[in-house]
């Protein structure tokens, strides 16, 4: 049926046509574990769920920004079973599926209409309506620091067309709007959540669990949502603990103090894999441990210097030692098996003589040590930093190491007041397509451009990709963009990691999410002790 604009209507129900499915090749990502991006779950033991049980989850980061959904706090609210979105990216199927919206259609080149699911209530008892959804999305859109996936640069307006239809308007044709509405940052809260000076999600989500109390930077306590639209909730409640130390997360699941521990460090794998009553789950993950370099100041603003550091590193030894074989040496900004990676990509080999020659070409002199920030949330980064320090010392580049929590380091890093930082970025965490990662992290105006890299040719490639509906053609542009980043040695991509969680044997129906969005669901259960 034509729309009023004369543009054919494209309707999406339980499946999305391939031209709009930007992640069909995700099942081809890393083959380290054979689990695939869909993650894994413990084998069935024949145990019976006890709906009076509660569960403890150890997460690797704490919420920030007073629970503002446009911030990383949205990931905590989502994995805790509180926050829900209009659409949902299903990793196993490699496509966007309905969630709080039952269907959507592209009404015109710049307009998308989402039909709101009927019969859903917020946890405060008010109805989920198109007006409430629009207000919630507009809060994110108009935030002082908008979410990377849902900002004025990609969405120009959100409005309720009628009682059950929300229209999202874009400044240019954007085939990935349904992907953007699956971002946890677009999670929908009741109008009352925005009544105060800060956002209050307590009692204002739509999910299977409602937050009831918190200990700042320590934990979040949740109770079952007795009126959940998605069916009976199998747990009485949960506690999500914010444990930045990876060894502690591993120890707590081993002793039974925690039921689920997320992001287990490689150093703890051998002990957990041999521990009774514990299952270690591994999933291929679009995540690369990276040494970010500040391209905006000397000596990192010289491409020969950056290439010299790349030539100095022994990535094979790093993967084998610190990661104990649980990761593969990186071959640029993508994993080699990702469908948008260059077919010619290969891991760089250590070449100290080449590194010294490049240093000379760059005119580098070691007048003071450069600094690497190793974020403490990733326990292995302390050892990674030490390996890098030794590698760079061998070519005459002295390095000092500073350990910091990411939250305390981020303001200086974003402002450009740093040399190098060890971190990792899930390429599909903003939206389940590389466009979010490439735009935020590497364009001149990118809101998460830790590298402070700016290149007009790169920006032009990303602009073209964002408007390209054909999946295959878009992937070619992503490949071209990745090759440019690699040619410029913008960062040092170290190893391609796995998502590794540990789960007690009495946990039932837990499905690992390699994109770090969902942990507690209505189906998550626990057998009686």
């Amino acid at each position: 049926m034509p729309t009023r604009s004369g543009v054919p209507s494209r309707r999406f129900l339980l499946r999305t046509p391939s031209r709009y499915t930007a992640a069909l090749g995700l099942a081809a990502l890393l083959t380290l574990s054979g689990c695939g991006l869909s993650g894994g779950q413990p084998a069935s033991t024949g145990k019976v769920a006890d709906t009076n049980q509660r569960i403890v989850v150890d997460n690797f980061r704490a919420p920030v920004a007073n629970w503002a959904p446009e911030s990383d706090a949205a990931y905590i609210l989502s994995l805790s079973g509180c926050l829900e979105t209009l659409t949902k990216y299903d990793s196993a199927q490699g496509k966007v599926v309905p969630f709080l919206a039952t269907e959507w259609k592209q009404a015109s080149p710049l307009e998308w209409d989402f039909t709101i699911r009927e019969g859903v209530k917020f946890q405060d008892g008010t109805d989920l309506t198109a007006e409430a959804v629009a207000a919630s999305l507009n809060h994110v859109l108009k935030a002082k620091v908008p979410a990377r996936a849902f900002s004025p640069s990609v969405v120009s307006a959100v409005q309720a067309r009628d009682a059950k239809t929300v229209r999202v308007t874009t400044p240019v044709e954007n085939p990935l709007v349904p992907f953007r509405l699956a971002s946890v940052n677009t999670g929908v809260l009741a109008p009352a959540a925005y009544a105060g000076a800060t956002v209050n999600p307590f009692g204002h989500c739509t999910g299977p669990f409602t937050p009831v109390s918190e200990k700042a930077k320590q934990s979040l306590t949740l109770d079952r949502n007795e009126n959940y639209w998605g069916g009976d909730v199998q747990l009485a409640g949960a506690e999500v603990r914010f444990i930045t130390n990876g060894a502690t997360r591993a120890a707590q699941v081993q002793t039974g103090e925690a039921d689920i521990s997320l992001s287990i460090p490689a150093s703890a794998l051998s002990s957990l894999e041999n521990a009774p009553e514990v299952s270690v789950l591994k999933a291929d993950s679009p995540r690369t441990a990276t040494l970010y370099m500040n391209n905006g100041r000397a000596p990192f603003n010289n491409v020969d210097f950056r290439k010299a550091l790349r030539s100095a590193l022994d990535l094979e030894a790093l993967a084998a030692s610190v990661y104990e074989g649980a990761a593969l040496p990186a071959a640029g900004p993508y994993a080699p098996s990702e469908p948008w990676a260059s077919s010619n990509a290969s891991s760089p080999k250590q070449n100290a003589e080449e590194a010294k020659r490049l240093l000379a070409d760059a005119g580098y002199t070691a007048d003071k040590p450069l600094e690497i920030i190793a974020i403490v949330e990733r326990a292995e980064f302390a050892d990674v930093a030490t390996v890098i320090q030794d590698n760079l010392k061998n070519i005459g580049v002295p390095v000092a190491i500073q350990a910091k929590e990411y939250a305390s380091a981020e303001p200086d890093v974003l402002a450009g007041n740093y040399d190098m930082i060890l971190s990792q970025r899930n390429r599909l965490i903003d939206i389940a397509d590389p466009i979010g990662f490439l735009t935020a992290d590497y364009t001149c105006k990118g809101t998460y451009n830790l590298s402070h890299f700016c290149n007009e040719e790169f920006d032009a490639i990303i602009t073209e990709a964002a408007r390209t509906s054909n999946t295959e053609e878009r992937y070619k542009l992503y490949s071209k963009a990745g090759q440019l980043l690699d040619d410029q040695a913008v960062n040092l991509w170290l190893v391609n990691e796995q998502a590794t969680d540990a789960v007690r044997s009495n946990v039932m129906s837990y499905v690992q999410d390699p994109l770090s969005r969902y942990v507690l669901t209505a189906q998550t259960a626990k057998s009686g002790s």
Side-chain angles (χ1 to χ4, degrees), residues 186-201:
T186 65
V188 179
L189 294 172
Y194 306 103
T198 59
V199 177
N200 176 20

Side-chain angles (χ1 to χ4, degrees), residues 47-333:
K47 295 181 178 179
V48 178
D50 179 353
T51 56
N52 293 316
Q53 290 286 326
R54 301 180 71 87
I55 206 169
V56 175
V57 177
D58 279 359
N59 187 47
F60 58 88
R61 69 170 64 175
V64 295
N66 295 317
W67 296 111
E70 66 270 14
S71 74
D72 283 351
Y75 296 101
I76 307 295
L77 293 173
S78 177
L79 71 86
S80 300
C82 172
L83 194 63
E84 296 182 323
T85 49
L86 292 188
T87 65
K88 185 176 183 178
Y89 180 76
D90 187 305
S91 297
Q93 299 183 66
K95 64 183 181 182
V96 176
V97 298
F99 206 11
L100 291 179
T102 56
E103 60 179 0
W104 49 92
K105 64 180 179 180
Q106 189 170 7
S108 76
L110 305 184
E111 296 171 321
W112 289 79
D113 288 344
F114 293 80
T115 302
I116 305 306
R117 185 179 297 276
E118 295 182 4
V120 178
K121 289 186 178 292
F122 291 106
Q123 293 163 356
D124 59 13
T126 58
D127 292 331
L128 177 75
T129 63
E131 185 176 356
V133 170
S136 190
L137 292 177
N138 275 312
H139 173 88
V140 174
L141 190 63
K142 297 174 182 178
K144 184 177 181 181
V145 181
R148 293 184 290 269
F150 203 78
S151 69
S153 64
V154 292
V155 174
S156 52
V158 180
Q159 63 184 100
R161 291 194 67 218
D162 55 41
K164 64 176 185 176
T165 307
V166 171
R167 171 163 288 180
V168 176
T169 305
T170 59
V172 296
E173 186 166 8
N174 189 333
L176 296 175
V177 169
F179 284 78
R180 294 188 178 279
L181 270 298
S183 165
V184 295
N185 294 118
T186 65
V188 179
L189 294 172
Y194 306 103
T198 59
V199 177
N200 176 20
F202 285 55
H204 301 312
C205 295
T206 59
F209 294 95
T210 181
V212 292
S213 66
E214 68 171 310
K215 294 180 180 178
K217 296 187 177 181
Q218 295 184 52
S219 65
L220 176 68
T221 300
L222 306 109
D223 285 345
R224 172 194 290 132
N225 177 7
E226 299 287 357
N227 299 308
Y228 182 50
W229 66 268
D232 293 339
V233 181
Q234 299 302 305
L235 290 169
E239 180 185 11
V240 177
R241 296 174 179 167
F242 312 130
I243 310 290
T244 58
N245 185 285
T248 301
R249 292 196 301 276
Q252 289 193 352
V253 75
Q254 186 167 356
T255 62
E257 188 175 349
D259 298 291
I260 301 171
S261 283
L262 307 179
S263 191
I264 298 297
S267 58
L269 287 180
S270 59
S271 61
L272 283 180
E273 286 172 340
N274 294 315
E277 304 299 319
V278 176
S279 295
V280 175
L281 306 181
K282 299 177 182 179
D284 301 338
S285 172
R287 179 185 287 113
T288 300
T290 302
L291 182 65
Y292 290 86
M293 299 181 289
N294 186 355
N295 288 217
R297 73 178 184 186
F300 303 96
N301 57 357
N302 187 303
V303 65
D304 284 335
F305 179 79
R306 301 195 300 269
K307 288 182 176 180
L309 299 197
R310 181 171 65 186
S311 294
L313 300 187
D314 188 343
L315 300 187
E316 291 183 359
L318 177 66
S321 59
V322 176
Y323 289 89
E324 302 181 21
L328 293 175

Side-chain angles (χ1 to χ4, degrees), residues 382-396:
D383 293 332
V384 172
T386 299
V387 171
I388 294 173
Q389 183 183 50
D390 289 342
N391 286 169
L392 298 188
K393 180 181 178 181
N394 291 338
I395 64 167

